[in-house]
Amino acid sequence: MGNVYRNISILILSLVAAFSLQSVAYGKNPACEPSTGKTIHLKDKEGNLKQILTLAPNSTSSTVRTTLNNAITSVAGYPKDESSGSRGTLHLSKGTFTSSAFLLLKEGVTLQGTVENGNPATTICTESKSDPVTIKMASDTGVKNIILDGKRRTEDSEGNPKKYYSSRHRGIEATAIEQNKSTDDLVSTYPTSTLLRNITIEDTHIIGYEGYGIYLERVEGVTIKGSDPEYKRSMKISDIGYGGIGGYSVNDVTVQYAMVTDIMPGATVGSAQQSYGMAFSHRKDPMASPENQAKFPRSQQIRVDQNVVANNPT
C-alpha cells in the first residue's frame, strides 16, 4: 500500500510539474518591461563623442521613443563621409530601451549597442500599438550589437497556447516601397526605380516576431553577418512567424555566419502553411496586372554563405 501511495504522490508531483512547465512555456502574452537603459552616446563619423544623453529614471515608452528618434536626427545632421555615406553612430548603454513605436534610422546613422562578455547587452523592445516594426532603415545605415525583442504573442483571446503569424510584425524593415499599397497603386503613384542602398546588420539578435526577423524590399547592397563563423552565435534570428530573412526585388545581398531557428506557423497558401528561414524572391500580388507585376524584378546577386537554418517544421 505504501508503494501505491508513493506512486500516486509521484504522479501528482509530475502532473503539477508538467502543468507548471506549460505555464512557464506559454504564460500570458508577453509585454515589454520598463526601460533600464540609461545613456545614449552620439558620435560623429570618426567616432568622436559629440553628446551624451541620459534618460530619466522611469521614463515612459513615449519619452524613450522621442529621445531616440531625436538623437538619430541629431547624428543625421553631422557631416557625411563621402566614401561610405556614414554620418555617425548612436551608441546605447547596457539595458533595455522600451519604445512606444518604431525607430526611424536616417541616412548615414548606425545604431549600436553595448557588448558584455562577447554578447549584446542592449535590448530594444517596441510596443506594437501603432506600428509593429521595431527599426525602419534608410540608405547608408547600420544596426549592430543589439537585441530586438518583438514579444511575440503566445496565446489566443481565450488563453489557449498559440503561435501567431502576422506579416507586418517585423524586427528590421528596409524598404523603398510603401507597404500599405497594392502593386497596381505603387506603379501608378510611386517610382519603382527607387532603391535603398548600403545597409549593414551585424551581430544582432532578433527574437519573437510574428512576420519577419528582417524584411528587405527594393534594396541594393545589404550585408547581414555575424562575427562568429564557427558557432553562429553573434547573428541570430529566432522564434519568427514566417521568414527569418525575406528579400523582395533586392540586389547584391550577402548573408554570412548567421543562425535562423524556430520558424512557424507561416502563411496559409491553399491548404498548406509556408514559412522560410531565408528566402529571396519578388513582390507577388495576385490582384496585380502582369505588366505591373513585371516592374518588380526578381532578386539578384544573392550570396548566402556558411549559415545555419534549423527547426522550420512547415
Side-chain angles (χ1 to χ4, degrees), residues 176-198:
I177 298 297
E178 295 182 51
Q179 294 296 292
N180 61 348
K181 289 189 175 183
S182 69
T183 299
D184 288 337
D185 286 341
L186 284 169
V187 169
S188 63
T189 63
Y190 203 81
T192 55
S193 60
T194 301
L195 291 170
L196 298 186
R197 290 181 168 85
N198 190 23

Side-chain angles (χ1 to χ4, degrees), residues 52-124:
I52 299 177
L53 303 176
T54 302
L55 287 173
N58 303 316
S59 292
T60 66
S61 58
S62 295
T63 299
V64 171
R65 185 214 179 189
T66 298
T67 301
L68 289 175
N69 277 328
N70 286 344
I72 290 169
T73 299
S74 294
V75 175
Y78 295 166
K80 181 171 68 172
D81 183 303
E82 295 300 332
S83 61
S84 67
S86 173
R87 293 182 182 272
T89 300
L90 201 69
H91 192 283
L92 307 183
S93 66
K94 174 183 175 181
T96 297
F97 293 80
T98 294
S99 174
S100 60
F102 66 89
L103 303 181
L104 180 61
L105 286 187
K106 296 190 174 182
E107 288 191 13
V109 179
T110 293
L111 186 62
Q112 184 169 338
T114 296
V115 174
E116 191 172 79
N117 299 321
N119 294 305
T122 301
T123 297
I124 296 177

Side-chain angles (χ1 to χ4, degrees), residues 70-299:
N70 286 344
I72 290 169
T73 299
S74 294
V75 175
Y78 295 166
K80 181 171 68 172
D81 183 303
E82 295 300 332
S83 61
S84 67
S86 173
R87 293 182 182 272
T89 300
L90 201 69
H91 192 283
L92 307 183
S93 66
K94 174 183 175 181
T96 297
F97 293 80
T98 294
S99 174
S100 60
F102 66 89
L103 303 181
L104 180 61
L105 286 187
K106 296 190 174 182
E107 288 191 13
V109 179
T110 293
L111 186 62
Q112 184 169 338
T114 296
V115 174
E116 191 172 79
N117 299 321
N119 294 305
T122 301
T123 297
I124 296 177
C125 190
T126 304
E127 299 170 357
S128 59
K129 294 178 182 178
S130 58
D131 194 296
V133 177
T134 297
I135 296 177
K136 294 185 177 183
M137 304 188 76
S139 293
D140 301 320
T141 57
V143 176
K144 186 175 183 179
N145 297 328
I146 288 178
I147 301 168
L148 303 181
D149 191 345
K151 297 300 181 187
R152 186 179 179 195
R153 291 173 295 170
T154 58
E155 292 184 352
D156 63 17
S157 59
E158 297 179 351
N160 300 311
K162 180 179 176 68
K163 287 289 189 180
Y164 277 84
Y165 159 68
S166 175
S167 174
R168 295 292 300 279
H169 192 215
R170 303 163 182 174
I172 294 176
E173 179 181 278
T175 175
I177 298 297
E178 295 182 51
Q179 294 296 292
N180 61 348
K181 289 189 175 183
S182 69
T183 299
D184 288 337
D185 286 341
L186 284 169
V187 169
S188 63
T189 63
Y190 203 81
T192 55
S193 60
T194 301
L195 291 170
L196 298 186
R197 290 181 168 85
N198 190 23
I199 286 172
T200 302
I201 303 167
E202 295 182 274
D203 291 348
T204 295
H205 296 184
I206 304 173
I207 304 165
Y209 286 88
E210 295 165 15
Y212 293 84
I214 299 173
Y215 181 91
L216 311 169
E217 186 170 13
R218 298 299 288 154
V219 184
E220 183 175 76
V222 179
T223 299
I224 301 169
K225 68 180 296 185
S227 59
D228 176 9
E230 184 173 2
Y231 298 107
K232 284 80 175 172
R233 290 178 296 200
S234 57
M235 181 72 220
K236 297 194 298 186
I237 301 173
S238 63
D239 191 20
I240 305 296
Y242 180 66
I245 301 172
Y248 299 87
S249 299
V250 295
N251 299 324
D252 188 19
V253 178
T254 297
V255 184
Q256 192 172 39
Y257 308 141
M259 179 175 289
V260 178
T261 64
D262 302 309
I263 311 295
M264 66 174 293
T268 300
V269 180
S271 59
Q273 288 181 305
Q274 297 181 357
S275 57
Y276 299 89
M278 303 179 191
F280 297 90
S281 182
H282 64 100
R283 171 178 283 262
K284 299 173 184 176
D285 184 349
M287 303 301 293
S289 65
E291 58 270 23
N292 285 344
Q293 183 77 72
K295 294 183 179 180
F296 294 88
R298 293 176 295 175
S299 295

